[in-house]
Amino acid sequence: MKVKGLLLIAILFIVGCSKPLPDDKLDYAGHWLGPNVELIIFEDGSVIYEYASGGVSTSINGPIQEFTGNSFDVGFGPISSTFVVSQPPMQLFDGRWQMIVDGVSLERVD
């Protein structure tokens, strides 16, 4: 029960520190999956990121600090990670959405 309570507090803190996505970046919002990657971007500007491969895992949860072009920084103050977006979200001919982040092709699943 304590872990769930701490997780809820952490999520509320993240949401409270975020700024909504700019209108021109609303297509970024969604649940994105790719090989070994799960990325959830909320319209309120908060991010949940998970990477796992070969016994190594990385997790980043925080608000989007800023967009630079198509890429964005996630974190708090000087502690942040840059997500390099080489292809911003685009809708494919079959209706699926795709973007390329840090060289990984992600598909929106929501």
Side-chain angles (χ1 to χ4, degrees):
M1 182 66 176
K2 286 184 179 182
V3 172
K4 287 183 180 180
L6 291 174
L7 181 59
L8 178 61
I9 290 169
I11 289 171
L12 291 173
F13 180 74
I14 290 168
V15 170
C17 293
S18 59
K19 294 181 283 187
L21 293 175
D23 289 341
D24 65 334
K25 302 295 186 193
L26 286 175
D27 287 342
Y28 284 68
H31 188 171
W32 300 86
L33 294 177
N36 307 315
V37 174
E38 180 176 21
L39 174 64
I40 304 171
I41 303 173
F42 297 92
E43 287 186 12
D44 69 5
S46 56
V47 171
I48 298 172
Y49 171 82
E50 299 281 336
Y51 169 83
S53 179
V56 175
S57 64
T58 301
S59 175
I60 300 169
N61 301 325
I64 294 177
Q65 292 180 331
E66 69 176 334
F67 279 90
T68 304
N70 293 321
S71 300
F72 54 95
D73 297 328
V74 173
F76 300 97
I79 302 171
S80 67
S81 292
T82 299
F83 290 79
V84 177
V85 179
S86 55
Q87 177 188 302
M90 63 180 288
Q91 190 169 24
L92 305 176
F93 293 109
D94 60 5
R96 294 178 301 127
W97 282 83
Q98 179 186 57
M99 78 170 154
I100 299 175
V101 180
D102 294 336
V104 178
S105 178
L106 303 177
E107 184 174 320
R108 191 161 63 196
V109 295
D110 56 353

